[in-house]
Amino acid sequence: MGNSAIEIAGLRVVRGGVPVIPSLDLTVPVGQVVGLLGPSGSGKTTLIRAIVGAQIVEGGTVTVLGLPAGSAALRRRIGYVTQSPSVYGDLTVTENLRYAAAILGMDAAAIRHALTDVDLLGHAGQSIGTLSGGERARVSLAIALLGRPDVLVLDEPTVGLDPVLRRDLWELFHRLSRSGVSLLVSSHVMDEAARCDRLVLLRGGAVLADGPLADLLARTGTTDPEEAFLALVDQAAARDASGPAGVAARDGAGTGAGT
Amino acid sequence: MSGEASAALSAPAVRDVPSRVMTVGLTAATARRVLTQLRHDKRTIALVVLLPCVLIGLIAWMFNGTPVLDQFGPLLVGLFPMIVMFLVTSVATLRERTSGTLERLMTLPIGRGDVVVGYALAFAVLASVQALVIVGFAVGVCGMDVAGPIGLVVLVAVLDAVLGCALGLGASALAKTEFQAVQLMPLVLFPQLITCGLLMPRDEMPTLLEWISRVLPLTYALDAMQQLAAGGTWTDVRGDVAVIAGFIVGALVVGAATLRRRTP
Ligand SMILES: Nc1ncnc2c1ncn2[C@@H]1O[C@H](COP(=O)(O)OP(=O)(O)O)[C@@H](O)[C@H]1O
Ligand SMILES: [Mg+2]
């Protein structure tokens, strides 16, 4: 309990009549950068929405910092970055942060600090409408950083950024994790795996594998995350075909999780 | 793993804090944010303030030399701001949904009332400007003659415009999805337009429609304006004014109570 930031047991989410997440168990440890990797449509956003309490769920429990997801007390302690930047296009960068700062009870120094973290201090007075997509995404990230949250849940925060910025942001994520923040960062780009302390591979709303990259590579006998993902998909398919039930297949895939 | 999770449920390490529906500071912060957005959006301001004037101007021109403007002008001065503000508010809150800003906002320590009432306050400022301009234009430029006190015409016009905001906010909070929010717009507007007494005097309507009209706020808005056009005073319209104010508060309470933190 004490060393996990997020605990999910038997989570079930139905969207548009489809069980998008049939039944999911997951533990995210404290103070690590955990990558939530999976192809588009694998359920990353749905899972993240369940963690921040924005998703209507059908069953199971999601516990964040010891409290049920969506609890009022968590609203100061979780930073959430939505997949598309959630910023007001007709406000300036600073005006956007000022509103969030008012809600979180932060001051102007905190706004400057957050803008410095995402390297946008030079754009403070600029209207969101005139920013590039990557800059907008970083404003959205700055808002999530503003309240100095204990848990950061970021939905594809590095998509569309240039390589230098991406490297800088990953460095920021690790700096935050060293200071005790727990991060869950989703991506559909497999080569971001190397930057995470721990990986959760998602496919079809189920956890395909969960563990450090080195373990996954060793277990699958592969040399890069994409190959490992493919090998795991093949293994799961083979087990589904031969095994008696999906439950057995899931248990099999879960043995490497080492939780 | 699941054992740990259920242990967490039975003995939470941290206690949850009560969630406040509304606080003065955060409602004001929301109002300030929406007003800043409006200030940057000159086109919406122009649309909101000028469109009703253009419509009134066209009608005055069309019926030049007849008593139509004096008869129906006050009704339109009550109606146009309400419709325009309803649409503007609905679109603004719809944008808040589609942009994802509402989703994140609902994960932050802000009350649902802070969002709904903050929006209402900001739009009420715009609505008041609009109502003042349109009454001024109808009376000063188009020569509309109102038998009742002009101050009351302004008051009712402002209330009607704020009613439009409140209905827009209430309806969009009630909607579960963006799609429902769009569907609710005509659903809120058209029954009121048909039964409010503009198309046909309410006492000539089929009983059922007349009954429906009694539970819809626009009926009272137009009745107040009709009374004022015919020379009515405060005693004639205070009942209507109270009902309109009640609907404004009611729509905002419904909005604050139904805005969802979780969506499908
Ligand atoms: N609002 C919705 N209604 C119905 N189905 C949805 C909705 N949103 C997402 N889905 C479906 O849920 C699945 C997972 O989506 P999502 O969580 O967005 O995946 P990812 O973020 O990994 O791309 C997809 O098959 C998608 O089509
Ligand atoms: Mg997604």
Side-chain angles (χ1 to χ4, degrees):
Chain A
M1 194 46 252
N3 55 1
S4 57
I6 304 170
E7 293 253 2
I8 301 174
L11 174 66
R12 179 176 170 79
V13 180
V14 177
R15 299 185 86 173
V18 181
V20 170
I21 296 180
S23 174
L24 185 144
D25 300 307
L26 181 68
T27 302
V28 174
V30 163
Q32 287 196 4
V33 180
V34 176
L36 179 62
L37 299 187
S40 181
S42 58
K44 301 182 295 297
T45 298
T46 306
L47 176 58
I48 282 177
R49 278 167 42 83
I51 292 168
V52 300
Q55 176 69 50
I56 295 176
V57 304
E58 183 103 335
T61 57
V62 180
T63 310
V64 182
L65 300 170
L67 286 166
S71 299
L74 288 174
R75 291 183 198 134
R76 299 187 176 278
R77 304 185 63 197
I78 298 193
Y80 170 37
V81 173
T82 51
Q83 183 163 357
S84 48
S86 45
V87 286
Y88 298 104
D90 36 17
L91 293 182
T92 67
V93 172
T94 304
E95 285 164 351
N96 264 285
L97 271 95
R98 211 176 276 149
Y99 181 48
I103 296 170
L104 292 160
M106 305 304 283
D107 58 7
I111 293 178
R112 267 195 311 280
H113 191 96
L115 283 178
T116 310
D117 274 344
V118 299
D119 195 22
L120 275 180
L121 211 49
H123 295 270
Q126 201 173 332
S127 169
I128 297 290
T130 63
L131 294 178
S132 74
E135 287 161 348
R136 241 175 267 189
R138 280 183 287 146
V139 178
S140 192
L141 176 59
I143 292 173
L145 296 175
L146 200 53
R148 313 253 163 90
D150 298 319
V151 176
L152 263 175
V153 185
L154 315 174
D155 200 357
E156 311 219 13
T158 56
V159 169
L161 298 186
D162 88 70
V164 178
L165 266 173
R166 243 168 61 178
R167 184 201 58 199
D168 291 352
L169 282 186
W170 280 103
E171 277 171 10
L172 169 67
F173 298 161
H174 282 285
R175 216 163 56 234
L176 290 166
S177 88
R178 278 194 299 275
S179 71
V181 179
S182 313
L183 292 95
L184 183 67
V185 185
S186 84
S187 178
H188 68 268
V189 187
M190 286 295 166
D191 46 334
E192 307 229 90
R195 304 192 182 269
C196 305
D197 298 325
R198 189 185 185 86
L199 297 179
V200 175
L201 298 190
L202 206 63
R203 186 165 187 267
V207 175
L208 206 55
D210 176 5
L213 176 60
D215 288 9
L216 294 186
L217 295 182
R219 188 152 64 84
T220 52
T222 53
T223 52
D224 78 64
E226 182 133 355
E227 278 176 42
F229 184 82
L230 289 172
L232 287 162
V233 171
D234 288 344
Q235 280 175 21
R239 257 190 248 102
D240 273 344
S242 62
V247 176
R250 253 204 319 277
D251 284 350
T255 47
T259 42
Chain B
M1 197 153 71
S2 58
E4 272 175 21
S6 52
L9 271 185
S10 55
V14 201
R15 202 162 305 160
D16 196 11
V17 299
S19 167
R20 291 223 208 145
V21 172
M22 210 177 132
T23 50
V24 174
L26 293 191
T27 301
T30 303
R32 209 175 315 126
R33 186 261 294 175
V34 177
L35 279 173
T36 313
Q37 283 179 290
L38 282 172
R39 221 180 48 227
H40 286 302
D41 188 6
K42 303 272 187 306
R43 260 179 296 181
T44 295
I45 297 181
L47 177 85
V48 164
V49 175
L50 296 181
L51 184 67
C53 293
V54 170
L55 294 176
I56 291 277
L58 284 175
I59 286 164
W61 186 30
M62 214 187 290
F63 295 99
N64 196 12
T66 70
V68 167
L69 185 66
D70 296 344
Q71 224 177 337
F72 289 103
L75 299 190
L76 301 180
V77 161
L79 184 66
F80 288 154
M82 185 262 180
I83 295 177
V84 171
M85 287 316 296
F86 175 79
L87 293 176
V88 167
T89 313
S90 298
V91 170
T93 45
L94 192 63
R95 274 177 63 199
E96 179 98 45
R97 256 178 214 270
T98 48
S99 68
T101 46
L102 184 64
E103 173 167 324
R104 168 147 67 186
L105 201 52
M106 289 290 91
T107 68
L108 291 175
I110 188 168
R112 296 173 299 178
D114 292 322
V115 177
V116 173
V117 179
Y119 254 99
L121 287 176
F123 278 104
V125 172
L126 182 62
S128 305
V129 173
Q130 180 200 45
L132 276 172
V133 170
I134 190 174
V135 174
F137 180 82
V139 174
V141 178
C142 304
M144 180 176 85
D145 224 348
V146 186
I150 201 75
L152 283 182
V153 175
V154 172
L155 173 74
V156 174
V158 169
L159 279 177
D160 287 358
V162 176
L163 174 70
C165 302
L167 291 179
L169 286 167
S172 40
L174 211 57
K176 272 194 198 143
T177 60
E178 287 157 31
F179 189 55
Q180 281 185 3
V182 174
Q183 285 175 320
L184 271 172
M185 285 163 66
L187 226 57
V188 170
L189 218 44
F190 282 113
Q192 301 201 65
L193 286 176
I194 291 169
T195 61
C196 69
L198 190 69
L199 296 181
M200 177 193 277
R202 285 177 47 242
D203 45 21
E204 291 170 27
M205 278 181 198
T207 319
L208 178 66
L209 288 185
E210 204 271 328
W211 271 98
I212 292 175
S213 79
R214 285 189 199 192
V215 296
L216 299 176
L218 192 58
T219 307
Y220 301 90
L222 284 205
D223 184 66
M225 282 300 194
Q226 246 153 0
Q227 301 275 357
L228 292 172
T233 60
W234 173 242
T235 16
D236 301 303
V237 296
R238 64 183 175 198
D240 288 329
V241 166
V243 173
I244 299 167
F247 267 102
I248 292 172
V249 173
L252 294 181
V253 168
V254 166
T258 57
L259 188 65
R260 287 164 178 79
R261 289 198 191 262
R262 289 183 187 265
T263 52

